Amino acid sequence: MEKRKVILITDGDQIARETVEEVARQVGGRCISASAGNPTQLTGPDLVRLIQEAAHDPVLVMFDDCGSQGKGPGETALEYVVNHPGVEVLGVVAVASNCYAAVGVEVDVALDRKGNCVKQGVDKDGLAVKGAPLRIYGDTVDVLNQYQFPLVVGIGDVGKMENHDDPLRGAPVTTKAVRLILEQAGFSFVSPEKVR
């Protein structure tokens, strides 16, 4: 069985869903809209079934713990998907939240709310945190520390960042994060005009 090519996104509220759907259009991928939830409602097996039913790769999947301390439903589902033999994770978009009690995750690159690569972690608003390490703190990212991924990109709150990532503007920050992952994986892109 050929593995499905998947990108994990650690956010899943309503705005995140609209944003990830727009990003999928921008890059010619598929969004598992049913993976949205605050917190994640579907189980790991549910998500894998939907991933396998997606029309084509890459498949964008959301996970959200809704601020749960410890391992919440989003992280539990994420673990299942990552460990499934039918899934190849191309990379992760690690999303910051106001959850500094978490351990956080080291990222390979962080994007501020203007889409610039920065050498520090960013906060929920997509602002670089002066003097901070290249690390993202969020409620659904700690589980990522258990795994090695090809690329982990840290960003602020998906679809928000004080309107800098608005899906009506093409969700430029989240789109860039996903494009970075796809470029490293060797994907070529379909023009958004051809996808719409």
Side-chain angles (χ1 to χ4, degrees):
M1 179 175 63
E2 188 173 343
K3 291 188 176 187
R4 301 306 304 267
K5 309 294 192 295
V6 172
I7 294 176
L8 314 178
I9 300 169
T10 65
D11 195 8
D13 62 20
Q14 176 65 23
I15 294 176
R17 182 184 67 77
E18 294 169 7
T19 303
V20 176
E21 288 172 346
E22 173 60 24
V23 172
R25 284 190 287 270
Q26 293 279 341
V27 302
R30 304 298 290 182
C31 169
I32 304 298
S33 296
S35 68
N38 190 232
T40 295
Q41 299 294 311
L42 298 181
T43 65
D46 291 334
L47 290 171
V48 167
R49 177 178 55 79
L50 292 172
I51 289 166
Q52 291 172 334
E53 291 174 357
H56 58 78
D57 297 337
V59 185
L60 281 55
V61 188
M62 293 165 276
F63 302 88
D64 198 313
D65 272 350
C66 193
S68 296
Q69 293 295 317
K71 188 185 293 184
E75 289 187 310
T76 300
L78 186 150
E79 280 185 316
Y80 185 92
V81 170
V82 169
N83 288 311
H84 195 276
V87 170
E88 178 185 350
V89 178
L90 302 179
V92 183
V93 179
V95 179
S97 67
N98 294 329
C99 185
Y100 292 96
V103 174
V105 64
E106 195 172 307
V107 298
D108 298 301
V109 61
L111 300 177
D112 69 13
R113 66 189 188 184
K114 294 183 178 178
N116 299 314
C117 294
V118 295
K119 296 182 179 180
Q120 305 83 31
V122 295
D123 64 14
K124 183 173 182 171
D125 292 325
L127 296 171
V129 181
K130 191 174 181 180
L134 194 53
R135 196 168 191 84
I136 291 294
Y137 296 92
D139 63 357
T140 319
V141 302
D142 287 3
V143 69
L144 302 175
N145 291 305
Q146 301 174 36
Y147 305 101
Q148 290 286 325
F149 298 106
L151 189 67
V152 180
V153 183
I155 65 171
D157 204 353
V158 170
K160 299 173 188 169
M161 298 182 240
E162 297 187 348
N163 296 322
H164 285 77
D165 196 43
D166 193 313
L168 295 177
R169 298 179 58 208
V173 182
T174 305
T175 299
K176 182 170 182 178
V178 169
R179 281 182 175 269
L180 288 172
I181 292 168
L182 292 175
E183 284 167 3
Q184 175 155 310
F187 270 76
S188 57
F189 298 104
V190 177
S191 165
E193 289 74 25
K194 292 180 181 176
V195 176
R196 289 183 188 279

